[in-house]
């Protein structure tokens, strides 16, 4: 597979041309990567009006992912989520039907809430019984019931799969329900770009999603920021036709050519022996998982490249396990009171698996403070006191969580990872919300000013 963006930039770099254009480093290395960091000079194409090397490279990605079109972003899935929601709402007749409504699983990333505010969407949250902060498995039956409970037709259904703990939704079953209601299924597949290359593919687009975003940088060998917006061949016509405009609406006019080269180079890598390397890596993760289970660890999630350990079931906390791993020169992706998440990819070496195994060892040792029993879910959905947009864009103030009773959440304050709000914009802080924030270590919250 060719790499037109990389080839162009290499030629440009080698040509020795005088760079009387941005960026200001003029190709001189401070970090080392500057010689390959260019802007939209003649021949370099334009991300939001591509007709040359970017268009060719995106065609390669489109062929690899089997989509109607795969669009590049250099600003992460966060950017693609905003564009995806724009596509879902652009044909909405607000004057006739009121603000668009979206049905969304509650474990949505913060980018979803900010997009809903920017696009003035109402959110009807899906609250299945097993829901927790990071996971929210929605069955086809629950989705049908949620449709039935609405008084207006949603513009889309939005789910996150895989989730931060490696849980995966049954996209095929949800897609069937969405099709029966004639409503697009949008998937936050930020953690699952690689799913396309499993045999058989487990990528949302192949399973019936209308559109999805992938953070290429999270699981593929791509620089941070590299992401895809995939549109299915079965998506409404406006999705493919207008996705570029929707991305441009929210994107910088200075896309990173380093990230574009990285996405371009990834096409060649993925088209070569990546599926075999991926299968091998997934086998190694499965083996490590089985070994740790034999040692007494309880694991969560089904995602093939993630290892999620239930630290609470081992009588400790995720933080304590993360600390133990750190002492053994292993840095995890995520830890919370309950879980520790390790993310693997074919780029990991045998030593990485070995270190994790040795550091974790048998489960019956004392590696830290025991978790106090706590219900980590909200018993009832929070009260929506203001519309998402009004709350997000109103004047705000930052207060101690202890002072938040009865106040309305302005912008959800959640650190990344996992950037999943406990309380979302416009919702009231009640006793249970404050207790859960405290449990997750949230000390200050952003509320609508009085
Ligand atoms: C589930 C989920 N969605 C979206 C995002 C945002 O992705 P990005 O960092 O590529 O903008 C993240 C980031 O952690 C995420 O975990």
């Amino acid at each position: 597979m060719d790499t037109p963006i990389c080839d162009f930039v290499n030629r440009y770099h080698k040509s020795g041309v005088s760079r009387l254009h941005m960026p200001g480093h003029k190709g001189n290395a401070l970090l080392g990567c500057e010689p390959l960091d260019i802007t939209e000079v003649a021949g370099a194409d334009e991300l939001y009006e591509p007709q040359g090397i970017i268009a060719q490279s995106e065609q390669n990605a489109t062929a690899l992912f089997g989509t109607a079109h795969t669009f590049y972003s250099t600003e992460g899935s966060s950017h693609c989520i905003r564009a995806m929601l724009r596509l879902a709402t652009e044909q909405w007749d607000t004057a006739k039907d009121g603000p668009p409504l979206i049905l969304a699983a509650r474990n949505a990333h913060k980018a979803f809430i900010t997009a809903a505010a920017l696009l003035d969407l109402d959110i009807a949250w899906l609250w299945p019984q097993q829901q927790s902060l990071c996971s929210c498995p929605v069955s086809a039956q629950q989705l049908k019931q949620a449709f039935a409970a609405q008084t207006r037709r949603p513009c889309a259904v939005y789910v996150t799969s895989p989730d931060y703990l490696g849980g995966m939704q049954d996209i095929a079953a949800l897609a069937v329900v969405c099709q029966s209601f004639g409503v697009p299924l949008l998937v936050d597949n930020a953690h699952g770009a690689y799913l396309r290359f499993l045999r058989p593919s487990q990528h949302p687009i192949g399973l019936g999603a209308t559109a999805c975003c992938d953070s290429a940088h999270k699981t593929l060998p791509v620089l941070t920021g590299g992401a895809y917006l995939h549109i299915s061949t079965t998506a409404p016509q406006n999705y493919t036709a207008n996705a570029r405009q929707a991305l441009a609406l929210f994107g910088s006019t200075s896309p990173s050519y380093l990230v574009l080269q990285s996405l371009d180079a990834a096409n060649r890598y993925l088209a070569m022996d990546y599926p075999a390397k991926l299968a091998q890596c997934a086998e190694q993760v499965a083996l490590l998982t089985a070994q740790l289970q034999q040692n007494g660890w309880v694991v969560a999630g089904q995602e093939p490249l993630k290892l999620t350990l239930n630290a609470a079931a081992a009588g400790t906390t995720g933080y304590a396990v993360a600390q133990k791993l750190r002492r053994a020169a292993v840095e995890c992706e995520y830890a919370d009171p309950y879980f520790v998440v390790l993310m693997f990819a074919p780029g990991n070496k045998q030593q990485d698996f070995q270190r994790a195994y040795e550091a974790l060892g048998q489960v019956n040792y004392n590696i830290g403070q025991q978790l106090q029993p706590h219900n980590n879910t909200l018993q009832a959905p929070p009260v929506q006191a203001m519309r998402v947009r009004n709350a997000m864009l109103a004047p705000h103030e930052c207060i101690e969580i202890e002072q938040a009773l009865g106040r309305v959440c302005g912008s959800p304050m959640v650190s990344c990872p996992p950037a999943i709000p406990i309380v979302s914009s416009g919702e009231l802080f009640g006793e249970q919300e404050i207790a859960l924030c405290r449990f997750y270590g949230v000390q200050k919250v952003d509320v609508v000013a009085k």
Side-chain angles (χ1 to χ4, degrees):
M1 184 164 274
D2 62 6
T3 52
I5 305 179
C6 297
D7 297 349
F8 174 84
V9 178
N10 270 314
R11 279 198 306 274
Y12 189 76
H13 165 46
K14 286 189 184 134
S15 73
V17 71
S18 296
R19 298 190 185 198
L20 301 186
H21 58 72
M22 301 171 211
H25 54 60
K26 305 297 177 189
N28 298 310
L30 278 182
L31 288 175
C33 56
E34 291 86 345
L36 298 179
D37 181 39
I38 63 163
T39 184
E40 289 164 320
V41 294
D45 212 0
E46 284 186 46
L47 181 56
Y48 296 120
E49 285 181 47
Q51 295 187 334
I53 56 174
I54 296 176
Q56 289 158 25
S57 183
E58 280 190 357
Q59 274 312 326
N60 288 343
T62 298
L64 278 168
F65 282 90
T67 57
H69 199 94
T70 290
F71 296 85
Y72 288 164
S73 167
T74 64
E75 296 170 74
S77 279
S78 306
H79 179 208
C80 300
I81 289 168
R82 293 190 272 273
M84 205 158 53
L85 294 196
R86 163 71 186 150
L87 293 171
T89 56
E90 68 177 355
Q91 296 195 330
W92 196 261
D93 188 345
T94 304
K96 188 165 136 259
D97 299 321
L101 172 78
I102 191 159
L103 275 178
R106 178 63 179 198
N107 61 337
H109 186 269
K110 187 180 174 181
F112 171 77
I113 319 271
T114 51
L118 292 171
L119 293 161
D120 201 6
L121 272 145
D122 285 335
I123 307 169
W125 291 110
L126 298 166
W127 289 94
Q129 279 170 355
Q130 295 159 36
Q131 165 265 343
S132 68
L133 179 64
C134 293
S135 291
C136 185
V138 180
S139 69
Q141 188 55 26
Q142 284 159 339
L143 183 57
K144 272 189 212 158
Q145 285 163 356
F147 268 113
Q150 302 312 315
T151 50
R152 49 191 167 134
R153 190 172 156 270
C155 66
V157 169
Y158 181 93
V159 295
T160 301
S161 179
D163 64 39
Y164 229 101
L165 302 182
M168 293 174 77
Q169 304 277 6
D170 186 347
I171 298 295
L174 298 180
V176 170
V177 177
C178 287
Q179 277 153 20
S180 72
F181 285 91
V183 168
L185 174 62
L186 311 181
V187 180
D188 174 346
N189 183 50
H191 290 240
Y194 74 95
L195 296 173
R196 165 69 182 163
F197 303 93
L198 293 172
R199 300 287 178 262
S201 163
Q202 293 184 35
H203 194 269
I205 292 293
L207 297 174
T210 308
C212 77
C213 65
D214 300 358
S215 295
H217 67 93
K218 289 196 200 300
T219 58
L220 302 179
V222 168
L223 291 178
T224 297
Y228 308 114
L229 173 58
H230 302 291
I231 308 294
S232 156
T233 50
T234 59
Q237 198 266 336
N238 73 300
Y239 275 62
T240 313
N242 300 344
R244 186 86 61 197
Q245 268 182 326
L247 285 160
L249 182 63
F250 297 108
S252 163
T253 53
S254 302
S256 162
Y257 268 77
L258 290 175
V259 176
L260 287 175
Q261 285 167 83
S262 183
L263 288 164
D264 188 43
N267 289 338
R268 175 176 283 172
Y269 176 86
L270 297 172
M272 288 165 69
D273 56 350
Y274 176 70
K277 288 183 183 157
L278 176 64
Q280 197 190 359
C281 180
E283 265 176 39
Q284 283 178 292
V285 177
L287 179 65
L288 177 61
T289 305
Q291 288 170 332
L292 290 169
Q293 281 174 317
Q294 273 174 10
N295 286 0
W297 287 97
V298 175
V299 299
Q302 313 92 46
E303 198 202 309
L305 294 191
K306 254 189 203 140
L307 174 52
T308 302
L309 297 167
N310 186 333
T316 184
T317 65
Y319 304 128
V321 177
Q323 193 52 35
K324 178 141 186 20
L325 285 162
R326 204 164 285 130
R327 284 198 292 273
V330 176
E331 191 58 40
C332 68
E333 164 61 26
Y334 171 67
D336 72 13
Y338 287 89
F339 296 105
V340 180
V341 179
L342 307 180
M343 286 176 76
F344 294 89
N348 281 115
K349 302 188 175 50
Q350 188 54 39
Q351 171 183 262
D352 303 332
F353 289 87
Q354 193 62 32
R355 278 186 184 162
Y357 178 71
E358 283 167 12
L360 292 164
Q362 296 288 335
V363 101
N364 57 351
Y365 52 71
N366 182 12
I367 53 175
Q369 206 190 344
Q370 284 226 341
L371 186 68
Q372 295 307 311
H374 188 283
N375 191 337
N376 73 331
T377 57
L378 295 173
Q379 296 308 295
V383 175
Q384 187 82 37
M386 276 175 89
R387 297 196 58 235
V388 176
R389 180 183 175 87
N390 297 348
M392 179 85 77
L393 302 184
H396 290 183
E397 57 182 324
C398 184
I399 61 170
E400 301 288 331
I401 184 72
E402 307 304 336
Q403 261 85 63
L405 190 64
R407 301 294 298 269
V408 177
C409 175
S411 180
M413 282 175 76
V414 275
S415 60
C416 195
I420 301 168
I422 297 170
V423 182
S424 173
S425 300
E427 291 175 348
L428 277 184
F429 282 95
E431 299 282 2
Q432 60 157 2
E433 288 79 12
I434 291 174
L436 196 56
C437 286
R438 253 193 243 124
F439 177 71
Y440 278 102
V442 176
Q443 286 167 359
K444 291 189 182 266
V445 288
D446 179 89
V447 293
V448 174
K450 275 186 177 163

